Amino acid sequence: MVHALRRAAGRLHAGGTLISIRPHPTRRPLVAIVTGRRRLPVATLLETAFERNLDAAESALRRVVEEGAFSLAGVRSARFRTYLERPAQMRTYLELIYPPRPRFPRGGRARLYEMWDAAPRGARIEVTESLILNALRR
Amino acid sequence: MATEISAYPREGLERRLIERFVSLRRKHVLEIGCGDGRLTFQYASVATSVLAIDPDRLSIEEATEQQRRRGIHNIDFRVGSIEGLPERGAPFDVALFSWSL
């Protein structure tokens, strides 16, 4: 990752901007069932395999700033939500994510189905994810 | 009616966040990890040029096909990685690591 950032630095104008958008390093995807204004949390998805990559990205971004290749222009985070009409769509949703994909904790998927069966008509499944954006100036 | 499922933010969110730091208008942009061009197509119309790379050949083929259908001419989609780019070459104004770590 550090090598990739250094290579990008070499291809930027002086004063150019490097933007990194990636999943938020600490806010995990949250699955809930929503009915009107009521939100029932089901599970927080695990990103075990991905966490190493996220940690590596964080430290690589810090390192190129410490080396003086870039200065930090700012950091922003944001949440975004996806709504699913039924539990079977969870599989499609997860498959859309480039591997390594998040997964349910043990028993989480069964809990989703149980809660869905008990949910009133018109309920939806909500997945809340968070991203982080770092802007570095060359 | 079938709902279109996306695991990424709704259109416009990422571009708005980026433009808090840098306008993409009339810029030469290098996008690393462009995938099927989902984000690329959101800003390419205002950029001067975009070199968008991704190691996944199928994604790049899909992006190129969409580009053809949309009639966009300022994007160069290529299979590859940042490490594979020549160290020297025409400089870019913006390097965008798009969900790539």
Side-chain angles (χ1 to χ4, degrees):
Chain A
M1 183 70 188
V2 173
H3 184 64
L5 293 173
R6 286 181 188 140
R7 178 61 64 92
R11 296 299 305 262
L12 277 173
H13 278 295
T17 306
L18 184 145
I19 299 284
S20 165
I21 302 175
R22 59 200 185 285
H24 196 281
T26 56
R27 295 184 203 153
R28 299 287 170 261
L30 178 69
V31 180
I33 291 178
V34 292
T35 315
R37 298 178 67 177
R38 194 162 177 228
R39 174 178 289 105
L40 295 170
V42 175
T44 300
L45 299 182
L46 303 176
E47 295 179 303
T48 320
F50 209 52
E51 279 169 16
R52 280 191 301 275
N53 296 359
L54 289 172
D55 290 346
E58 296 296 316
S59 59
L61 288 162
R62 266 199 310 274
R63 187 157 163 194
V64 292
V65 170
E66 286 164 4
E67 287 175 353
F70 290 99
S71 61
L72 179 64
V75 181
R76 290 283 185 284
S77 59
R79 286 196 170 93
F80 57 97
R81 294 187 169 91
T82 302
Y83 291 93
L84 309 175
E85 292 171 352
R86 52 189 176 279
Q89 288 182 335
M90 257 332 282
R91 182 178 295 275
T92 310
Y93 173 80
L94 292 172
E95 282 173 358
L96 288 170
I97 298 170
Y98 200 79
R101 301 181 173 105
R103 61 180 176 80
F104 276 96
R106 187 180 293 273
R109 192 180 292 271
R111 181 173 157 79
L112 171 64
Y113 276 88
E114 279 167 23
M115 290 177 68
W116 180 256
D117 288 343
R121 196 179 174 84
R124 288 186 301 169
I125 298 163
E126 178 190 79
V127 186
T128 305
E129 291 197 67
S130 301
L131 65 82
I132 191 163
L133 179 151
N134 289 49
L136 307 183
R137 207 76 75 197
R138 175 85 174 91
Chain B
M1 196 171 77
T3 309
E4 191 178 329
I5 301 170
S6 169
Y8 290 96
R10 67 187 175 280
E11 187 162 332
L13 173 66
E14 292 142 293
R15 184 174 160 191
R16 280 199 303 279
L17 286 172
I18 292 166
E19 294 203 326
R20 287 184 179 208
F21 298 100
V22 59
S23 166
L24 297 172
R25 190 167 295 280
R26 291 192 286 275
K27 295 292 192 324
H28 296 279
V29 181
L30 168 64
E31 184 178 340
I32 300 114
C34 64
D36 63 2
R38 178 193 63 85
L39 180 55
T40 324
F41 293 121
Q42 292 180 36
Y43 68 81
S45 60
V46 301
T48 296
S49 71
V50 182
L51 171 58
I53 59 175
D54 196 284
D56 186 67
R57 181 172 297 278
L58 285 177
S59 295
I60 290 294
E61 284 173 6
E62 196 176 323
T64 307
E65 173 57 23
Q66 265 210 64
Q67 179 185 18
R68 191 190 59 75
R69 280 203 304 270
R70 293 175 185 226
I72 299 170
H73 303 290
N74 65 336
I75 310 172
D76 180 5
F77 284 110
R78 288 191 208 166
V79 178
S81 64
I82 179 80
E83 290 87 353
L85 279 184
E87 281 186 48
R88 291 171 194 274
F92 295 92
D93 303 301
V94 178
L96 170 58
F97 284 75
S98 168
W99 299 90
S100 55
L101 302 170

mmCIF file of all heavy atoms in Angstrom, chain B residues 73-101:
data_model
loop_
_atom_site.group_PDB
_atom_site.id
_atom_site.type_symbol
_atom_site.label_atom_id
_atom_site.label_comp_id
_atom_site.label_asym_id
_atom_site.label_seq_id
_atom_site.Cartn_x
_atom_site.Cartn_y
_atom_site.Cartn_z
ATOM 1 N N HIS B 73 -15.978 9.713 -24.198
ATOM 2 C CA HIS B 73 -14.697 9.520 -24.883
ATOM 3 C C HIS B 73 -13.473 9.924 -24.065
ATOM 4 O O HIS B 73 -12.356 9.756 -24.535
ATOM 5 C CB HIS B 73 -14.713 10.300 -26.208
ATOM 6 C CG HIS B 73 -15.844 9.897 -27.096
ATOM 7 N ND1 HIS B 73 -15.905 8.670 -27.719
ATOM 8 C CD2 HIS B 73 -16.990 10.550 -27.414
ATOM 9 C CE1 HIS B 73 -17.027 8.585 -28.419
ATOM 10 N NE2 HIS B 73 -17.721 9.707 -28.246
ATOM 11 N N ASN B 74 -13.681 10.472 -22.864
ATOM 12 C CA ASN B 74 -12.505 10.972 -22.126
ATOM 13 C C ASN B 74 -12.018 10.006 -21.036
ATOM 14 O O ASN B 74 -11.246 10.387 -20.169
ATOM 15 C CB ASN B 74 -12.802 12.349 -21.507
ATOM 16 C CG ASN B 74 -13.893 12.282 -20.450
ATOM 17 O OD1 ASN B 74 -14.723 11.369 -20.464
ATOM 18 N ND2 ASN B 74 -13.898 13.242 -19.548
ATOM 19 N N ILE B 75 -12.507 8.760 -21.069
ATOM 20 C CA ILE B 75 -12.035 7.778 -20.077
ATOM 21 C C ILE B 75 -11.217 6.708 -20.793
ATOM 22 O O ILE B 75 -11.629 6.181 -21.827
ATOM 23 C CB ILE B 75 -13.198 7.060 -19.350
ATOM 24 C CG1 ILE B 75 -14.224 8.062 -18.820
ATOM 25 C CG2 ILE B 75 -12.665 6.199 -18.209
ATOM 26 C CD1 ILE B 75 -15.486 7.403 -18.259
ATOM 27 N N ASP B 76 -10.057 6.403 -20.207
ATOM 28 C CA ASP B 76 -9.231 5.302 -20.711
ATOM 29 C C ASP B 76 -9.257 4.209 -19.637
ATOM 30 O O ASP B 76 -8.588 4.336 -18.613
ATOM 31 C CB ASP B 76 -7.805 5.837 -20.943
ATOM 32 C CG ASP B 76 -6.863 4.756 -21.460
ATOM 33 O OD1 ASP B 76 -7.323 3.629 -21.722
ATOM 34 O OD2 ASP B 76 -5.662 5.060 -21.594
ATOM 35 N N PHE B 77 -10.092 3.191 -19.832
ATOM 36 C CA PHE B 77 -10.158 2.080 -18.888
ATOM 37 C C PHE B 77 -9.059 1.080 -19.232
ATOM 38 O O PHE B 77 -8.932 0.677 -20.387
ATOM 39 C CB PHE B 77 -11.516 1.372 -18.964
ATOM 40 C CG PHE B 77 -12.644 2.116 -18.302
ATOM 41 C CD1 PHE B 77 -13.656 2.693 -19.057
ATOM 42 C CD2 PHE B 77 -12.702 2.231 -16.916
ATOM 43 C CE1 PHE B 77 -14.709 3.378 -18.446
ATOM 44 C CE2 PHE B 77 -13.747 2.911 -16.296
ATOM 45 C CZ PHE B 77 -14.752 3.484 -17.070
ATOM 46 N N ARG B 78 -8.292 0.692 -18.220
ATOM 47 C CA ARG B 78 -7.214 -0.289 -18.472
ATOM 48 C C ARG B 78 -7.164 -1.335 -17.370
ATOM 49 O O ARG B 78 -7.369 -1.011 -16.196
ATOM 50 C CB ARG B 78 -5.851 0.405 -18.495
ATOM 51 C CG ARG B 78 -5.609 1.249 -19.717
ATOM 52 C CD ARG B 78 -4.137 1.657 -19.733
ATOM 53 N NE ARG B 78 -3.980 2.926 -20.426
ATOM 54 C CZ ARG B 78 -2.891 3.664 -20.384
ATOM 55 N NH1 ARG B 78 -1.850 3.261 -19.675
ATOM 56 N NH2 ARG B 78 -2.813 4.792 -21.042
ATOM 57 N N VAL B 79 -6.825 -2.556 -17.772
ATOM 58 C CA VAL B 79 -6.578 -3.614 -16.782
ATOM 59 C C VAL B 79 -5.181 -3.362 -16.206
ATOM 60 O O VAL B 79 -4.219 -3.207 -16.969
ATOM 61 C CB VAL B 79 -6.616 -5.014 -17.430
ATOM 62 C CG1 VAL B 79 -6.295 -6.089 -16.390
ATOM 63 C CG2 VAL B 79 -7.975 -5.280 -18.061
ATOM 64 N N GLY B 80 -5.069 -3.284 -14.894
ATOM 65 C CA GLY B 80 -3.745 -3.082 -14.300
ATOM 66 C C GLY B 80 -3.827 -2.555 -12.890
ATOM 67 O O GLY B 80 -4.909 -2.444 -12.307
ATOM 68 N N SER B 81 -2.647 -2.261 -12.358
ATOM 69 C CA SER B 81 -2.566 -1.739 -10.986
ATOM 70 C C SER B 81 -1.644 -0.530 -11.008
ATOM 71 O O SER B 81 -0.910 -0.311 -11.974
ATOM 72 C CB SER B 81 -1.997 -2.812 -10.054
ATOM 73 O OG SER B 81 -0.665 -3.091 -10.445
ATOM 74 N N ILE B 82 -1.665 0.228 -9.929
ATOM 75 C CA ILE B 82 -0.820 1.422 -9.844
ATOM 76 C C ILE B 82 0.654 1.038 -9.947
ATOM 77 O O ILE B 82 1.444 1.757 -10.554
ATOM 78 C CB ILE B 82 -1.113 2.213 -8.538
ATOM 79 C CG1 ILE B 82 -0.245 3.454 -8.399
ATOM 80 C CG2 ILE B 82 -0.955 1.348 -7.293
ATOM 81 C CD1 ILE B 82 -0.688 4.626 -9.175
ATOM 82 N N GLU B 83 1.001 -0.122 -9.386
ATOM 83 C CA GLU B 83 2.404 -0.560 -9.447
ATOM 84 C C GLU B 83 2.819 -0.839 -10.885
ATOM 85 O O GLU B 83 4.001 -0.765 -11.213
ATOM 86 C CB GLU B 83 2.615 -1.810 -8.594
ATOM 87 C CG GLU B 83 2.530 -1.576 -7.090
ATOM 88 C CD GLU B 83 1.121 -1.668 -6.539
ATOM 89 O OE1 GLU B 83 0.174 -1.780 -7.353
ATOM 90 O OE2 GLU B 83 0.952 -1.609 -5.319
ATOM 91 N N GLY B 84 1.859 -1.148 -11.735
ATOM 92 C CA GLY B 84 2.164 -1.461 -13.128
ATOM 93 C C GLY B 84 2.281 -0.232 -14.018
ATOM 94 O O GLY B 84 2.708 -0.332 -15.174
ATOM 95 N N LEU B 85 1.898 0.922 -13.492
ATOM 96 C CA LEU B 85 1.998 2.145 -14.304
ATOM 97 C C LEU B 85 3.448 2.595 -14.386
ATOM 98 O O LEU B 85 4.186 2.447 -13.408
ATOM 99 C CB LEU B 85 1.200 3.284 -13.662
ATOM 100 C CG LEU B 85 -0.307 3.354 -13.864
ATOM 101 C CD1 LEU B 85 -0.841 4.631 -13.217
ATOM 102 C CD2 LEU B 85 -0.678 3.313 -15.327
ATOM 103 N N PRO B 86 3.852 3.158 -15.508
ATOM 104 C CA PRO B 86 5.219 3.680 -15.582
ATOM 105 C C PRO B 86 5.435 4.750 -14.503
ATOM 106 O O PRO B 86 4.507 5.492 -14.178
ATOM 107 C CB PRO B 86 5.286 4.313 -16.973
ATOM 108 C CG PRO B 86 4.153 3.737 -17.732
ATOM 109 C CD PRO B 86 3.112 3.327 -16.749
ATOM 110 N N GLU B 87 6.641 4.793 -13.932
ATOM 111 C CA GLU B 87 6.910 5.772 -12.878
ATOM 112 C C GLU B 87 6.831 7.190 -13.396
ATOM 113 O O GLU B 87 6.480 8.110 -12.666
ATOM 114 C CB GLU B 87 8.286 5.515 -12.264
ATOM 115 C CG GLU B 87 8.263 4.366 -11.267
ATOM 116 C CD GLU B 87 9.585 4.203 -10.567
ATOM 117 O OE1 GLU B 87 10.132 5.211 -10.092
ATOM 118 O OE2 GLU B 87 10.069 3.058 -10.505
ATOM 119 N N ARG B 88 7.173 7.350 -14.662
ATOM 120 C CA ARG B 88 7.108 8.688 -15.253
ATOM 121 C C ARG B 88 6.026 8.714 -16.322
ATOM 122 O O ARG B 88 5.697 7.688 -16.888
ATOM 123 C CB ARG B 88 8.460 9.065 -15.883
ATOM 124 C CG ARG B 88 9.527 9.289 -14.846
ATOM 125 C CD ARG B 88 10.895 9.435 -15.506
ATOM 126 N NE ARG B 88 11.956 9.319 -14.503
ATOM 127 C CZ ARG B 88 12.392 10.344 -13.788
ATOM 128 N NH1 ARG B 88 11.907 11.537 -13.956
ATOM 129 N NH2 ARG B 88 13.358 10.163 -12.896
ATOM 130 N N GLY B 89 5.535 9.909 -16.583
ATOM 131 C CA GLY B 89 4.482 10.054 -17.584
ATOM 132 C C GLY B 89 3.750 11.339 -17.314
ATOM 133 O O GLY B 89 4.086 12.058 -16.372
ATOM 134 N N ALA B 90 2.764 11.639 -18.156
ATOM 135 C CA ALA B 90 2.017 12.884 -17.973
ATOM 136 C C ALA B 90 1.425 12.915 -16.562
ATOM 137 O O ALA B 90 0.784 11.955 -16.145
ATOM 138 C CB ALA B 90 0.912 12.961 -19.008
ATOM 139 N N PRO B 91 1.657 13.996 -15.829
ATOM 140 C CA PRO B 91 1.177 14.038 -14.446
ATOM 141 C C PRO B 91 -0.333 14.252 -14.351
ATOM 142 O O PRO B 91 -0.957 14.798 -15.266
ATOM 143 C CB PRO B 91 1.929 15.225 -13.839
ATOM 144 C CG PRO B 91 2.331 16.073 -14.976
ATOM 145 C CD PRO B 91 2.436 15.199 -16.184
ATOM 146 N N PHE B 92 -0.898 13.802 -13.246
ATOM 147 C CA PHE B 92 -2.332 13.934 -12.995
ATOM 148 C C PHE B 92 -2.562 15.019 -11.942
ATOM 149 O O PHE B 92 -1.668 15.336 -11.155
ATOM 150 C CB PHE B 92 -2.893 12.603 -12.479
ATOM 151 C CG PHE B 92 -2.812 11.495 -13.486
ATOM 152 C CD1 PHE B 92 -1.709 10.649 -13.506
ATOM 153 C CD2 PHE B 92 -3.816 11.299 -14.419
ATOM 154 C CE1 PHE B 92 -1.605 9.628 -14.443
ATOM 155 C CE2 PHE B 92 -3.731 10.279 -15.359
ATOM 156 C CZ PHE B 92 -2.620 9.439 -15.376
ATOM 157 N N ASP B 93 -3.779 15.553 -11.930
ATOM 158 C CA ASP B 93 -4.164 16.523 -10.908
ATOM 159 C C ASP B 93 -4.697 15.814 -9.670
ATOM 160 O O ASP B 93 -4.562 16.297 -8.549
ATOM 161 C CB ASP B 93 -5.264 17.462 -11.442
ATOM 162 C CG ASP B 93 -4.827 18.189 -12.695
ATOM 163 O OD1 ASP B 93 -3.820 18.918 -12.629
ATOM 164 O OD2 ASP B 93 -5.471 18.009 -13.748
ATOM 165 N N VAL B 94 -5.359 14.676 -9.908
ATOM 166 C CA VAL B 94 -6.010 13.950 -8.817
ATOM 167 C C VAL B 94 -5.740 12.459 -8.979
ATOM 168 O O VAL B 94 -5.862 11.921 -10.085
ATOM 169 C CB VAL B 94 -7.546 14.182 -8.820
ATOM 170 C CG1 VAL B 94 -8.231 13.373 -7.716
ATOM 171 C CG2 VAL B 94 -7.888 15.661 -8.680
ATOM 172 N N ALA B 95 -5.349 11.812 -7.877
ATOM 173 C CA ALA B 95 -5.260 10.345 -7.853
ATOM 174 C C ALA B 95 -6.323 9.861 -6.871
ATOM 175 O O ALA B 95 -6.348 10.286 -5.721
ATOM 176 C CB ALA B 95 -3.874 9.895 -7.401
ATOM 177 N N LEU B 96 -7.205 9.015 -7.358
ATOM 178 C CA LEU B 96 -8.349 8.581 -6.552
ATOM 179 C C LEU B 96 -8.270 7.078 -6.310
ATOM 180 O O LEU B 96 -8.375 6.288 -7.248
ATOM 181 C CB LEU B 96 -9.638 8.952 -7.314
ATOM 182 C CG LEU B 96 -10.964 8.417 -6.813
ATOM 183 C CD1 LEU B 96 -11.223 8.838 -5.381
ATOM 184 C CD2 LEU B 96 -12.092 8.922 -7.722
ATOM 185 N N PHE B 97 -8.046 6.714 -5.063
ATOM 186 C CA PHE B 97 -8.082 5.293 -4.674
ATOM 187 C C PHE B 97 -9.522 4.987 -4.275
ATOM 188 O O PHE B 97 -9.975 5.357 -3.198
ATOM 189 C CB PHE B 97 -7.123 5.005 -3.510
ATOM 190 C CG PHE B 97 -5.686 4.959 -3.913
ATOM 191 C CD1 PHE B 97 -4.983 6.126 -4.201
ATOM 192 C CD2 PHE B 97 -5.010 3.743 -4.007
ATOM 193 C CE1 PHE B 97 -3.641 6.083 -4.577
ATOM 194 C CE2 PHE B 97 -3.668 3.692 -4.387
ATOM 195 C CZ PHE B 97 -2.990 4.857 -4.671
ATOM 196 N N SER B 98 -10.215 4.308 -5.167
ATOM 197 C CA SER B 98 -11.643 4.134 -5.020
ATOM 198 C C SER B 98 -11.957 2.759 -4.423
ATOM 199 O O SER B 98 -11.989 1.767 -5.133
ATOM 200 C CB SER B 98 -12.274 4.292 -6.403
ATOM 201 O OG SER B 98 -13.596 3.880 -6.422
ATOM 202 N N TRP B 99 -12.148 2.719 -3.106
ATOM 203 C CA TRP B 99 -12.449 1.468 -2.413
ATOM 204 C C TRP B 99 -11.364 0.424 -2.657
ATOM 205 O O TRP B 99 -11.624 -0.775 -2.658
ATOM 206 C CB TRP B 99 -13.817 0.917 -2.818
ATOM 207 C CG TRP B 99 -14.916 1.861 -2.475
ATOM 208 C CD1 TRP B 99 -15.407 2.845 -3.288
ATOM 209 C CD2 TRP B 99 -15.645 1.968 -1.245
ATOM 210 N NE1 TRP B 99 -16.387 3.549 -2.640
ATOM 211 C CE2 TRP B 99 -16.562 3.032 -1.387
ATOM 212 C CE3 TRP B 99 -15.618 1.271 -0.039
ATOM 213 C CZ2 TRP B 99 -17.433 3.411 -0.373
ATOM 214 C CZ3 TRP B 99 -16.493 1.648 0.960
ATOM 215 C CH2 TRP B 99 -17.393 2.701 0.798
ATOM 216 N N SER B 100 -10.146 0.881 -2.942
ATOM 217 C CA SER B 100 -9.032 -0.049 -3.143
ATOM 218 C C SER B 100 -8.014 0.259 -2.057
ATOM 219 O O SER B 100 -7.729 1.414 -1.784
ATOM 220 C CB SER B 100 -8.412 0.145 -4.524
ATOM 221 O OG SER B 100 -8.032 1.487 -4.708
ATOM 222 N N LEU B 101 -7.486 -0.777 -1.457
ATOM 223 C CA LEU B 101 -6.577 -0.569 -0.318
ATOM 224 C C LEU B 101 -5.154 -0.937 -0.687
ATOM 225 O O LEU B 101 -4.928 -1.714 -1.581
ATOM 226 C CB LEU B 101 -7.040 -1.429 0.856
ATOM 227 C CG LEU B 101 -8.467 -1.159 1.322
ATOM 228 C CD1 LEU B 101 -8.912 -2.210 2.311
ATOM 229 C CD2 LEU B 101 -8.559 0.209 1.968
#
